[in-house]
Amino acid sequence: MRRPQATPARVIVFGAGATGARVVRMLAESPEVGRVEVRDPDTARLRRTVDSCDDSVTAARGLEMPPDADMVVIATPTGTQAAAARAAVNAGASAVTTSSEISETRELLALGSLAAENGVALVVGAGFMPGLTCLLARAGAAEFDLVDEIHVAKAGTGGPACARQHHRALSSLAIDWRDGSWTRRSGGSGRELCWFPDPVAGRDCYRGALSDALLLVPAFEGVERVTARLAATRRDRLTAPLPMMRRPHPEGGVGAVRVELRGRRAARRHVAVLGAQARPAQGAAIVAAATALHLIGRADVSGAGGLASIRDTGRLLRAVADRGLRPCRFEGFTLSRDETPRP
């Protein structure tokens, strides 16, 4: 249920990096938002962000939570989002976070009871992956009677903070959900060739410290296996335990996500594969901004969870697609014994 919004919302965006700056611009263009305040410790980034927007956007240095915010979007580096989310929830504002780090995701989910008590929503992992992958998993699940396996993968990185997180993830312990329990795996193990939408195409993907399973398992009752992988080169794997050899690029190139669902439909095994391609920072910003707009004025959403757990995910996915982040579906074909493939 969406309650009437008497006046356009005031939204606070923490972080003016590759993702946060895009979120600010998208929210400033929405008629549902009357004022956007961006906060970041870096004054140069704040200045660039504000200069690229109209007068509805203001800036403040630091990450303190101001009063009277209707919505908060947190796009700061890993390790800083849980504290900002707690401050937002305590202030009675719904919050959208973008973290993909395992321990921080656990901290954010642990705020669920506080968010429900205060009647606000705390969305965890509203980015490219997790985030868009959660929406694709929920959309694909509609054609199943039961989903028992979910396998997600990502190629590409966004801004410098995203690149550093990708680097750490390859050398850190991964978690898989298998047969009703959590299993720890070595980062950089489990090589699998995954096919993404063009132009990314096929990439070798490996386990890493990714939080997707923590968000997908609670959303899909009866799921038996959930895994997450990220694309990496041989050099990525060899250098993962070491400090990054060179400074990350301001933003990576085109990336992609892929979601494979397995389960049962009409008493038969069924498989569906969905995906999308975009610059990861752009994709994450679209998902985060669309989620914030989706929650403004809603009185029926509270507590903490990933995007696969919130209500009306179909509407949210359509909003994401309208902003240019269009999902696609992998289609296969079958041959009879007498047929041969033709170019």
Side-chain angles (χ1 to χ4, degrees):
M1 179 179 65
R2 185 178 287 272
R3 65 172 180 264
Q5 188 76 19
T7 58
R10 181 193 180 196
V11 182
I12 309 299
V13 178
F14 289 114
T19 297
R22 285 182 165 97
V23 170
V24 170
R25 290 191 286 269
M26 292 176 192
L27 293 176
E29 295 169 355
S30 172
E32 296 179 72
V33 177
R35 180 183 172 191
V36 180
E37 182 177 308
V38 54
R39 291 183 166 242
D40 193 287
D42 190 321
T43 54
R45 292 199 302 195
L46 285 174
R47 190 180 307 111
R48 287 195 300 269
T49 302
V50 172
D51 288 347
S52 67
C53 302
D54 60 24
D55 294 340
S56 66
V57 177
T58 59
R61 193 170 183 273
L63 296 175
E64 294 77 20
M65 179 66 198
D68 303 325
D70 298 301
M71 175 65 58
V72 176
V73 179
I74 305 170
T76 54
T78 293
T80 63
Q81 297 200 16
R86 180 180 289 276
V89 170
N90 280 328
S94 291
V96 175
T97 68
T98 58
S99 180
S100 61
E101 200 268 336
I102 290 175
S103 62
E104 188 163 59
T105 296
R106 287 183 170 132
E107 287 184 68
L108 290 165
L109 291 173
L111 296 173
S113 57
L114 178 63
E117 183 179 322
N118 290 349
V120 297
L122 173 56
V123 178
V124 183
F128 201 36
M129 182 182 126
L132 178 60
T133 47
C134 297
L135 292 177
L136 294 177
R138 177 57 66 198
E143 61 188 67
F144 289 78
D145 297 324
L146 173 68
V147 173
D148 53 36
E149 295 187 34
I150 306 174
H151 306 282
V152 299
K154 173 189 173 184
T157 60
C162 180
R164 294 186 185 100
Q165 174 63 18
H166 179 282
H167 183 78
R168 290 192 298 268
L170 276 173
S171 62
S172 304
L173 280 177
I175 53 171
D176 288 352
W177 178 255
R178 189 179 183 91
D179 298 329
S181 62
W182 295 106
T183 303
R184 293 185 177 183
R185 306 286 191 182
S186 298
S189 65
R191 179 176 134 183
E192 183 175 309
L193 178 61
C194 296
W195 288 93
F196 297 92
D198 289 335
V200 178
R203 298 287 181 90
D204 283 332
C205 295
Y206 304 85
R207 295 187 182 98
L210 304 168
S211 62
D212 300 76
L214 294 173
L215 303 174
L216 290 169
V217 170
F220 291 88
E221 184 178 356
V223 69
E224 297 175 358
R225 292 188 63 193
V226 180
T227 65
R229 286 174 168 80
L230 68 168
T233 64
R234 181 177 298 178
R235 184 180 65 184
D236 293 334
R237 294 178 64 224
L238 290 174
T239 61
L242 306 173
M244 293 191 76
M245 300 294 187
R246 56 188 178 187
R247 188 175 181 178
H249 294 290
E251 184 177 348
V254 175
V257 294
R258 165 196 168 96
V259 178
E260 181 174 342
L261 304 169
R262 303 175 187 173
R264 304 199 70 82
R265 182 176 70 177
R268 299 182 63 181
R269 293 297 295 173
H270 182 61
V271 178
V273 182
L274 298 91
Q277 63 87 17
R279 288 181 177 270
Q282 176 75 3
I286 289 173
V287 174
T291 301
L293 294 172
H294 180 77
L295 293 176
I296 288 175
R298 294 192 74 101
D300 62 337
V301 181
S302 64
L307 285 179
S309 300
I310 72 169
R311 297 184 184 181
D312 203 1
T313 53
R315 176 177 172 270
L316 177 54
L317 186 58
R318 288 192 295 272
V320 167
D322 288 342
R323 290 183 175 272
L325 187 54
R326 299 186 179 277
C328 62
R329 180 188 177 94
F330 288 74
E331 298 287 356
F333 61 90
T334 57
L335 297 175
S336 69
R337 292 183 180 180
D338 299 330
E339 290 180 306
T340 56
R342 294 182 180 180

PDB file of all heavy atoms in Angstrom, residues 243-278:
ATOM      1  N   PRO A 243      48.432  -6.875  -2.111  1.00  0.00           N
ATOM      2  CA  PRO A 243      47.839  -5.552  -2.326  1.00  0.00           C
ATOM      3  C   PRO A 243      47.684  -5.289  -3.822  1.00  0.00           C
ATOM      4  O   PRO A 243      48.445  -5.820  -4.634  1.00  0.00           O
ATOM      5  CB  PRO A 243      48.862  -4.598  -1.696  1.00  0.00           C
ATOM      6  CG  PRO A 243      49.634  -5.442  -0.741  1.00  0.00           C
ATOM      7  CD  PRO A 243      49.684  -6.815  -1.331  1.00  0.00           C
ATOM      8  N   MET A 244      46.714  -4.468  -4.188  1.00  0.00           N
ATOM      9  CA  MET A 244      46.507  -4.171  -5.605  1.00  0.00           C
ATOM     10  C   MET A 244      47.764  -3.531  -6.184  1.00  0.00           C
ATOM     11  O   MET A 244      48.344  -2.611  -5.612  1.00  0.00           O
ATOM     12  CB  MET A 244      45.306  -3.248  -5.794  1.00  0.00           C
ATOM     13  CG  MET A 244      43.981  -3.910  -5.439  1.00  0.00           C
ATOM     14  SD  MET A 244      42.535  -2.950  -5.966  1.00  0.00           S
ATOM     15  CE  MET A 244      42.543  -3.281  -7.721  1.00  0.00           C
ATOM     16  N   MET A 245      48.193  -4.045  -7.347  1.00  0.00           N
ATOM     17  CA  MET A 245      49.446  -3.613  -7.943  1.00  0.00           C
ATOM     18  C   MET A 245      49.372  -2.196  -8.508  1.00  0.00           C
ATOM     19  O   MET A 245      50.370  -1.499  -8.600  1.00  0.00           O
ATOM     20  CB  MET A 245      49.837  -4.586  -9.071  1.00  0.00           C
ATOM     21  CG  MET A 245      50.025  -6.013  -8.592  1.00  0.00           C
ATOM     22  SD  MET A 245      51.433  -6.176  -7.481  1.00  0.00           S
ATOM     23  CE  MET A 245      51.507  -7.945  -7.294  1.00  0.00           C
ATOM     24  N   ARG A 246      48.164  -1.779  -8.913  1.00  0.00           N
ATOM     25  CA  ARG A 246      48.023  -0.450  -9.487  1.00  0.00           C
ATOM     26  C   ARG A 246      46.702   0.146  -9.040  1.00  0.00           C
ATOM     27  O   ARG A 246      45.791  -0.568  -8.623  1.00  0.00           O
ATOM     28  CB  ARG A 246      48.084  -0.513 -11.011  1.00  0.00           C
ATOM     29  CG  ARG A 246      47.063  -1.431 -11.641  1.00  0.00           C
ATOM     30  CD  ARG A 246      47.301  -1.585 -13.129  1.00  0.00           C
ATOM     31  NE  ARG A 246      46.347  -2.514 -13.728  1.00  0.00           N
ATOM     32  CZ  ARG A 246      46.429  -2.928 -14.973  1.00  0.00           C
ATOM     33  NH1 ARG A 246      47.421  -2.516 -15.743  1.00  0.00           N
ATOM     34  NH2 ARG A 246      45.525  -3.763 -15.463  1.00  0.00           N
ATOM     35  N   ARG A 247      46.634   1.453  -9.145  1.00  0.00           N
ATOM     36  CA  ARG A 247      45.435   2.150  -8.715  1.00  0.00           C
ATOM     37  C   ARG A 247      44.263   1.784  -9.622  1.00  0.00           C
ATOM     38  O   ARG A 247      44.405   1.769 -10.848  1.00  0.00           O
ATOM     39  CB  ARG A 247      45.683   3.657  -8.773  1.00  0.00           C
ATOM     40  CG  ARG A 247      44.578   4.490  -8.168  1.00  0.00           C
ATOM     41  CD  ARG A 247      44.989   5.951  -8.177  1.00  0.00           C
ATOM     42  NE  ARG A 247      43.967   6.788  -7.577  1.00  0.00           N
ATOM     43  CZ  ARG A 247      44.077   8.096  -7.420  1.00  0.00           C
ATOM     44  NH1 ARG A 247      45.196   8.705  -7.828  1.00  0.00           N
ATOM     45  NH2 ARG A 247      43.106   8.794  -6.874  1.00  0.00           N
ATOM     46  N   PRO A 248      43.071   1.504  -9.043  1.00  0.00           N
ATOM     47  CA  PRO A 248      41.928   1.138  -9.883  1.00  0.00           C
ATOM     48  C   PRO A 248      41.517   2.282 -10.801  1.00  0.00           C
ATOM     49  O   PRO A 248      41.712   3.462 -10.487  1.00  0.00           O
ATOM     50  CB  PRO A 248      40.822   0.832  -8.862  1.00  0.00           C
ATOM     51  CG  PRO A 248      41.518   0.605  -7.574  1.00  0.00           C
ATOM     52  CD  PRO A 248      42.756   1.430  -7.616  1.00  0.00           C
ATOM     53  N   HIS A 249      40.933   1.937 -11.938  1.00  0.00           N
ATOM     54  CA  HIS A 249      40.392   2.933 -12.855  1.00  0.00           C
ATOM     55  C   HIS A 249      39.202   3.646 -12.202  1.00  0.00           C
ATOM     56  O   HIS A 249      38.513   3.072 -11.337  1.00  0.00           O
ATOM     57  CB  HIS A 249      39.935   2.277 -14.153  1.00  0.00           C
ATOM     58  CG  HIS A 249      41.057   1.702 -14.961  1.00  0.00           C
ATOM     59  ND1 HIS A 249      41.981   2.495 -15.603  1.00  0.00           N
ATOM     60  CD2 HIS A 249      41.405   0.417 -15.224  1.00  0.00           C
ATOM     61  CE1 HIS A 249      42.864   1.722 -16.230  1.00  0.00           C
ATOM     62  NE2 HIS A 249      42.528   0.456 -16.025  1.00  0.00           N
ATOM     63  N   PRO A 250      38.920   4.886 -12.591  1.00  0.00           N
ATOM     64  CA  PRO A 250      37.743   5.580 -12.052  1.00  0.00           C
ATOM     65  C   PRO A 250      36.451   4.788 -12.253  1.00  0.00           C
ATOM     66  O   PRO A 250      35.547   4.852 -11.442  1.00  0.00           O
ATOM     67  CB  PRO A 250      37.722   6.898 -12.830  1.00  0.00           C
ATOM     68  CG  PRO A 250      39.132   7.109 -13.256  1.00  0.00           C
ATOM     69  CD  PRO A 250      39.693   5.733 -13.503  1.00  0.00           C
ATOM     70  N   GLU A 251      36.402   4.051 -13.372  1.00  0.00           N
ATOM     71  CA  GLU A 251      35.261   3.175 -13.607  1.00  0.00           C
ATOM     72  C   GLU A 251      35.636   2.131 -14.634  1.00  0.00           C
ATOM     73  O   GLU A 251      36.343   2.423 -15.601  1.00  0.00           O
ATOM     74  CB  GLU A 251      34.046   3.958 -14.099  1.00  0.00           C
ATOM     75  CG  GLU A 251      32.812   3.088 -14.250  1.00  0.00           C
ATOM     76  CD  GLU A 251      31.590   3.875 -14.674  1.00  0.00           C
ATOM     77  OE1 GLU A 251      31.648   5.102 -14.629  1.00  0.00           O
ATOM     78  OE2 GLU A 251      30.601   3.238 -15.054  1.00  0.00           O
ATOM     79  N   GLY A 252      35.183   0.897 -14.412  1.00  0.00           N
ATOM     80  CA  GLY A 252      35.476  -0.179 -15.346  1.00  0.00           C
ATOM     81  C   GLY A 252      34.624  -0.091 -16.606  1.00  0.00           C
ATOM     82  O   GLY A 252      33.808   0.816 -16.781  1.00  0.00           O
ATOM     83  N   GLY A 253      34.796  -1.063 -17.485  1.00  0.00           N
ATOM     84  CA  GLY A 253      34.038  -1.095 -18.735  1.00  0.00           C
ATOM     85  C   GLY A 253      32.694  -1.768 -18.561  1.00  0.00           C
ATOM     86  O   GLY A 253      32.145  -1.848 -17.462  1.00  0.00           O
ATOM     87  N   VAL A 254      32.176  -2.287 -19.665  1.00  0.00           N
ATOM     88  CA  VAL A 254      30.871  -2.942 -19.645  1.00  0.00           C
ATOM     89  C   VAL A 254      30.962  -4.238 -18.848  1.00  0.00           C
ATOM     90  O   VAL A 254      31.898  -5.027 -18.997  1.00  0.00           O
ATOM     91  CB  VAL A 254      30.388  -3.239 -21.074  1.00  0.00           C
ATOM     92  CG1 VAL A 254      29.086  -4.026 -21.060  1.00  0.00           C
ATOM     93  CG2 VAL A 254      30.203  -1.937 -21.834  1.00  0.00           C
ATOM     94  N   GLY A 255      29.998  -4.471 -17.986  1.00  0.00           N
ATOM     95  CA  GLY A 255      29.919  -5.697 -17.211  1.00  0.00           C
ATOM     96  C   GLY A 255      28.580  -6.376 -17.439  1.00  0.00           C
ATOM     97  O   GLY A 255      27.771  -5.941 -18.270  1.00  0.00           O
ATOM     98  N   ALA A 256      28.327  -7.437 -16.703  1.00  0.00           N
ATOM     99  CA  ALA A 256      27.079  -8.178 -16.882  1.00  0.00           C
ATOM    100  C   ALA A 256      26.809  -9.037 -15.657  1.00  0.00           C
ATOM    101  O   ALA A 256      27.723  -9.328 -14.867  1.00  0.00           O
ATOM    102  CB  ALA A 256      27.142  -9.057 -18.135  1.00  0.00           C
ATOM    103  N   VAL A 257      25.565  -9.435 -15.501  1.00  0.00           N
ATOM    104  CA  VAL A 257      25.172 -10.387 -14.472  1.00  0.00           C
ATOM    105  C   VAL A 257      24.382 -11.516 -15.121  1.00  0.00           C
ATOM    106  O   VAL A 257      23.804 -11.359 -16.205  1.00  0.00           O
ATOM    107  CB  VAL A 257      24.331  -9.743 -13.355  1.00  0.00           C
ATOM    108  CG1 VAL A 257      25.163  -8.739 -12.566  1.00  0.00           C
ATOM    109  CG2 VAL A 257      23.077  -9.080 -13.914  1.00  0.00           C
ATOM    110  N   ARG A 258      24.358 -12.631 -14.427  1.00  0.00           N
ATOM    111  CA  ARG A 258      23.675 -13.823 -14.929  1.00  0.00           C
ATOM    112  C   ARG A 258      23.040 -14.534 -13.743  1.00  0.00           C
ATOM    113  O   ARG A 258      23.637 -14.638 -12.664  1.00  0.00           O
ATOM    114  CB  ARG A 258      24.700 -14.731 -15.610  1.00  0.00           C
ATOM    115  CG  ARG A 258      24.250 -16.163 -15.873  1.00  0.00           C
ATOM    116  CD  ARG A 258      25.454 -17.036 -16.177  1.00  0.00           C
ATOM    117  NE  ARG A 258      25.085 -18.453 -16.160  1.00  0.00           N
ATOM    118  CZ  ARG A 258      24.768 -19.154 -17.233  1.00  0.00           C
ATOM    119  NH1 ARG A 258      24.807 -18.569 -18.418  1.00  0.00           N
ATOM    120  NH2 ARG A 258      24.435 -20.420 -17.132  1.00  0.00           N
ATOM    121  N   VAL A 259      21.802 -15.012 -13.925  1.00  0.00           N
ATOM    122  CA  VAL A 259      21.079 -15.761 -12.893  1.00  0.00           C
ATOM    123  C   VAL A 259      20.556 -17.044 -13.518  1.00  0.00           C
ATOM    124  O   VAL A 259      19.811 -16.999 -14.495  1.00  0.00           O
ATOM    125  CB  VAL A 259      19.904 -14.941 -12.324  1.00  0.00           C
ATOM    126  CG1 VAL A 259      19.139 -15.762 -11.290  1.00  0.00           C
ATOM    127  CG2 VAL A 259      20.392 -13.640 -11.717  1.00  0.00           C
ATOM    128  N   GLU A 260      20.955 -18.163 -12.961  1.00  0.00           N
ATOM    129  CA  GLU A 260      20.466 -19.467 -13.437  1.00  0.00           C
ATOM    130  C   GLU A 260      19.607 -20.097 -12.349  1.00  0.00           C
ATOM    131  O   GLU A 260      20.053 -20.284 -11.214  1.00  0.00           O
ATOM    132  CB  GLU A 260      21.628 -20.391 -13.778  1.00  0.00           C
ATOM    133  CG  GLU A 260      21.180 -21.751 -14.296  1.00  0.00           C
ATOM    134  CD  GLU A 260      22.331 -22.624 -14.771  1.00  0.00           C
ATOM    135  OE1 GLU A 260      23.427 -22.072 -15.021  1.00  0.00           O
ATOM    136  OE2 GLU A 260      22.135 -23.857 -14.899  1.00  0.00           O
ATOM    137  N   LEU A 261      18.379 -20.428 -12.712  1.00  0.00           N
ATOM    138  CA  LEU A 261      17.423 -21.055 -11.799  1.00  0.00           C
ATOM    139  C   LEU A 261      17.163 -22.481 -12.262  1.00  0.00           C
ATOM    140  O   LEU A 261      16.979 -22.726 -13.456  1.00  0.00           O
ATOM    141  CB  LEU A 261      16.107 -20.279 -11.777  1.00  0.00           C
ATOM    142  CG  LEU A 261      16.179 -18.794 -11.415  1.00  0.00           C
ATOM    143  CD1 LEU A 261      14.860 -18.124 -11.708  1.00  0.00           C
ATOM    144  CD2 LEU A 261      16.542 -18.619  -9.961  1.00  0.00           C
ATOM    145  N   ARG A 262      17.130 -23.379 -11.307  1.00  0.00           N
ATOM    146  CA  ARG A 262      16.794 -24.773 -11.601  1.00  0.00           C
ATOM    147  C   ARG A 262      15.724 -25.226 -10.622  1.00  0.00           C
ATOM    148  O   ARG A 262      15.726 -24.845  -9.459  1.00  0.00           O
ATOM    149  CB  ARG A 262      18.020 -25.681 -11.471  1.00  0.00           C
ATOM    150  CG  ARG A 262      19.189 -25.275 -12.361  1.00  0.00           C
ATOM    151  CD  ARG A 262      20.390 -26.150 -12.093  1.00  0.00           C
ATOM    152  NE  ARG A 262      21.578 -25.663 -12.811  1.00  0.00           N
ATOM    153  CZ  ARG A 262      22.793 -26.151 -12.656  1.00  0.00           C
ATOM    154  NH1 ARG A 262      22.999 -27.163 -11.813  1.00  0.00           N
ATOM    155  NH2 ARG A 262      23.805 -25.646 -13.336  1.00  0.00           N
ATOM    156  N   GLY A 263      14.810 -26.054 -11.117  1.00  0.00           N
ATOM    157  CA  GLY A 263      13.747 -26.531 -10.242  1.00  0.00           C
ATOM    158  C   GLY A 263      12.773 -27.403 -10.988  1.00  0.00           C
ATOM    159  O   GLY A 263      13.128 -28.075 -11.960  1.00  0.00           O
ATOM    160  N   ARG A 264      11.510 -27.344 -10.543  1.00  0.00           N
ATOM    161  CA  ARG A 264      10.487 -28.218 -11.120  1.00  0.00           C
ATOM    162  C   ARG A 264       9.324 -27.383 -11.626  1.00  0.00           C
ATOM    163  O   ARG A 264       8.915 -26.403 -11.007  1.00  0.00           O
ATOM    164  CB  ARG A 264       9.989 -29.229 -10.080  1.00  0.00           C
ATOM    165  CG  ARG A 264      11.105 -30.067  -9.469  1.00  0.00           C
ATOM    166  CD  ARG A 264      10.561 -31.328  -8.820  1.00  0.00           C
ATOM    167  NE  ARG A 264      10.081 -32.282  -9.803  1.00  0.00           N
ATOM    168  CZ  ARG A 264      10.879 -33.125 -10.475  1.00  0.00           C
ATOM    169  NH1 ARG A 264      12.190 -33.135 -10.254  1.00  0.00           N
ATOM    170  NH2 ARG A 264      10.359 -33.967 -11.339  1.00  0.00           N
ATOM    171  N   ARG A 265       8.809 -27.812 -12.778  1.00  0.00           N
ATOM    172  CA  ARG A 265       7.597 -27.228 -13.344  1.00  0.00           C
ATOM    173  C   ARG A 265       6.780 -28.345 -13.938  1.00  0.00           C
ATOM    174  O   ARG A 265       7.251 -29.088 -14.798  1.00  0.00           O
ATOM    175  CB  ARG A 265       7.943 -26.188 -14.423  1.00  0.00           C
ATOM    176  CG  ARG A 265       6.709 -25.510 -15.008  1.00  0.00           C
ATOM    177  CD  ARG A 265       7.077 -24.421 -15.989  1.00  0.00           C
ATOM    178  NE  ARG A 265       7.644 -24.971 -17.220  1.00  0.00           N
ATOM    179  CZ  ARG A 265       8.004 -24.228 -18.265  1.00  0.00           C
ATOM    180  NH1 ARG A 265       7.903 -22.910 -18.196  1.00  0.00           N
ATOM    181  NH2 ARG A 265       8.506 -24.792 -19.353  1.00  0.00           N
ATOM    182  N   ALA A 266       5.558 -28.487 -13.429  1.00  0.00           N
ATOM    183  CA  ALA A 266       4.665 -29.554 -13.907  1.00  0.00           C
ATOM    184  C   ALA A 266       5.340 -30.916 -13.813  1.00  0.00           C
ATOM    185  O   ALA A 266       5.334 -31.705 -14.765  1.00  0.00           O
ATOM    186  CB  ALA A 266       4.199 -29.278 -15.327  1.00  0.00           C
ATOM    187  N   ALA A 267       5.951 -31.176 -12.674  1.00  0.00           N
ATOM    188  CA  ALA A 267       6.574 -32.471 -12.357  1.00  0.00           C
ATOM    189  C   ALA A 267       7.788 -32.787 -13.228  1.00  0.00           C
ATOM    190  O   ALA A 267       8.247 -33.933 -13.273  1.00  0.00           O
ATOM    191  CB  ALA A 267       5.548 -33.600 -12.454  1.00  0.00           C
ATOM    192  N   ARG A 268       8.327 -31.803 -13.934  1.00  0.00           N
ATOM    193  CA  ARG A 268       9.530 -32.015 -14.744  1.00  0.00           C
ATOM    194  C   ARG A 268      10.596 -31.011 -14.339  1.00  0.00           C
ATOM    195  O   ARG A 268      10.308 -29.928 -13.838  1.00  0.00           O
ATOM    196  CB  ARG A 268       9.213 -31.859 -16.237  1.00  0.00           C
ATOM    197  CG  ARG A 268       8.177 -32.844 -16.757  1.00  0.00           C
ATOM    198  CD  ARG A 268       7.948 -32.666 -18.243  1.00  0.00           C
ATOM    199  NE  ARG A 268       9.153 -32.938 -19.020  1.00  0.00           N
ATOM    200  CZ  ARG A 268       9.223 -32.843 -20.347  1.00  0.00           C
ATOM    201  NH1 ARG A 268       8.161 -32.444 -21.035  1.00  0.00           N
ATOM    202  NH2 ARG A 268      10.348 -33.121 -20.971  1.00  0.00           N
ATOM    203  N   ARG A 269      11.869 -31.380 -14.578  1.00  0.00           N
ATOM    204  CA  ARG A 269      12.960 -30.454 -14.305  1.00  0.00           C
ATOM    205  C   ARG A 269      12.907 -29.296 -15.292  1.00  0.00           C
ATOM    206  O   ARG A 269      12.587 -29.466 -16.474  1.00  0.00           O
ATOM    207  CB  ARG A 269      14.315 -31.160 -14.428  1.00  0.00           C
ATOM    208  CG  ARG A 269      14.576 -32.213 -13.388  1.00  0.00           C
ATOM    209  CD  ARG A 269      14.623 -31.658 -11.988  1.00  0.00           C
ATOM    210  NE  ARG A 269      15.747 -30.738 -11.781  1.00  0.00           N
ATOM    211  CZ  ARG A 269      15.920 -30.023 -10.665  1.00  0.00           C
ATOM    212  NH1 ARG A 269      15.028 -30.084  -9.682  1.00  0.00           N
ATOM    213  NH2 ARG A 269      16.966 -29.231 -10.535  1.00  0.00           N
ATOM    214  N   HIS A 270      13.209 -28.115 -14.775  1.00  0.00           N
ATOM    215  CA  HIS A 270      13.142 -26.919 -15.613  1.00  0.00           C
ATOM    216  C   HIS A 270      14.321 -26.021 -15.263  1.00  0.00           C
ATOM    217  O   HIS A 270      14.734 -25.937 -14.094  1.00  0.00           O
ATOM    218  CB  HIS A 270      11.819 -26.185 -15.375  1.00  0.00           C
ATOM    219  CG  HIS A 270      11.646 -24.965 -16.228  1.00  0.00           C
ATOM    220  ND1 HIS A 270      11.622 -25.012 -17.605  1.00  0.00           N
ATOM    221  CD2 HIS A 270      11.495 -23.653 -15.895  1.00  0.00           C
ATOM    222  CE1 HIS A 270      11.454 -23.785 -18.084  1.00  0.00           C
ATOM    223  NE2 HIS A 270      11.381 -22.941 -17.062  1.00  0.00           N
ATOM    224  N   VAL A 271      14.874 -25.352 -16.268  1.00  0.00           N
ATOM    225  CA  VAL A 271      16.003 -24.443 -16.080  1.00  0.00           C
ATOM    226  C   VAL A 271      15.683 -23.126 -16.789  1.00  0.00           C
ATOM    227  O   VAL A 271      15.160 -23.132 -17.912  1.00  0.00           O
ATOM    228  CB  VAL A 271      17.312 -25.035 -16.644  1.00  0.00           C
ATOM    229  CG1 VAL A 271      18.462 -24.032 -16.487  1.00  0.00           C
ATOM    230  CG2 VAL A 271      17.657 -26.345 -15.951  1.00  0.00           C
ATOM    231  N   ALA A 272      15.989 -22.026 -16.139  1.00  0.00           N
ATOM    232  CA  ALA A 272      15.837 -20.705 -16.755  1.00  0.00           C
ATOM    233  C   ALA A 272      17.092 -19.891 -16.457  1.00  0.00           C
ATOM    234  O   ALA A 272      17.615 -19.932 -15.340  1.00  0.00           O
ATOM    235  CB  ALA A 272      14.605 -19.990 -16.218  1.00  0.00           C
ATOM    236  N   VAL A 273      17.576 -19.171 -17.455  1.00  0.00           N
ATOM    237  CA  VAL A 273      18.765 -18.332 -17.304  1.00  0.00           C
ATOM    238  C   VAL A 273      18.423 -16.915 -17.766  1.00  0.00           C
ATOM    239  O   VAL A 273      17.982 -16.719 -18.898  1.00  0.00           O
ATOM    240  CB  VAL A 273      19.961 -18.877 -18.114  1.00  0.00           C
ATOM    241  CG1 VAL A 273      21.187 -18.005 -17.888  1.00  0.00           C
ATOM    242  CG2 VAL A 273      20.256 -20.326 -17.728  1.00  0.00           C
ATOM    243  N   LEU A 274      18.621 -15.956 -16.884  1.00  0.00           N
ATOM    244  CA  LEU A 274      18.359 -14.562 -17.189  1.00  0.00           C
ATOM    245  C   LEU A 274      19.627 -13.747 -16.962  1.00  0.00           C
ATOM    246  O   LEU A 274      20.530 -14.175 -16.230  1.00  0.00           O
ATOM    247  CB  LEU A 274      17.221 -14.009 -16.325  1.00  0.00           C
ATOM    248  CG  LEU A 274      15.853 -14.666 -16.501  1.00  0.00           C
ATOM    249  CD1 LEU A 274      15.691 -15.818 -15.521  1.00  0.00           C
ATOM    250  CD2 LEU A 274      14.746 -13.649 -16.301  1.00  0.00           C
ATOM    251  N   GLY A 275      19.696 -12.574 -17.578  1.00  0.00           N
ATOM    252  CA  GLY A 275      20.885 -11.757 -17.408  1.00  0.00           C
ATOM    253  C   GLY A 275      20.638 -10.327 -17.837  1.00  0.00           C
ATOM    254  O   GLY A 275      19.538  -9.951 -18.268  1.00  0.00           O
ATOM    255  N   ALA A 276      21.674  -9.517 -17.723  1.00  0.00           N
ATOM    256  CA  ALA A 276      21.636  -8.123 -18.158  1.00  0.00           C
ATOM    257  C   ALA A 276      23.064  -7.631 -18.285  1.00  0.00           C
ATOM    258  O   ALA A 276      23.976  -8.168 -17.639  1.00  0.00           O
ATOM    259  CB  ALA A 276      20.860  -7.252 -17.172  1.00  0.00           C
ATOM    260  N   GLN A 277      23.268  -6.622 -19.125  1.00  0.00           N
ATOM    261  CA  GLN A 277      24.602  -6.044 -19.276  1.00  0.00           C
ATOM    262  C   GLN A 277      24.532  -4.537 -19.102  1.00  0.00           C
ATOM    263  O   GLN A 277      23.548  -3.894 -19.481  1.00  0.00           O
ATOM    264  CB  GLN A 277      25.219  -6.410 -20.629  1.00  0.00           C
ATOM    265  CG  GLN A 277      24.503  -5.891 -21.844  1.00  0.00           C
ATOM    266  CD  GLN A 277      24.917  -4.484 -22.270  1.00  0.00           C
ATOM    267  OE1 GLN A 277      25.958  -3.990 -21.845  1.00  0.00           O
ATOM    268  NE2 GLN A 277      24.080  -3.847 -23.085  1.00  0.00           N
ATOM    269  N   ALA A 278      25.568  -3.975 -18.488  1.00  0.00           N
ATOM    270  CA  ALA A 278      25.662  -2.528 -18.260  1.00  0.00           C
ATOM    271  C   ALA A 278      27.020  -2.255 -17.639  1.00  0.00           C
ATOM    272  O   ALA A 278      27.714  -3.180 -17.187  1.00  0.00           O
ATOM    273  CB  ALA A 278      24.555  -2.037 -17.331  1.00  0.00           C
TER     274      ALA A 278
END
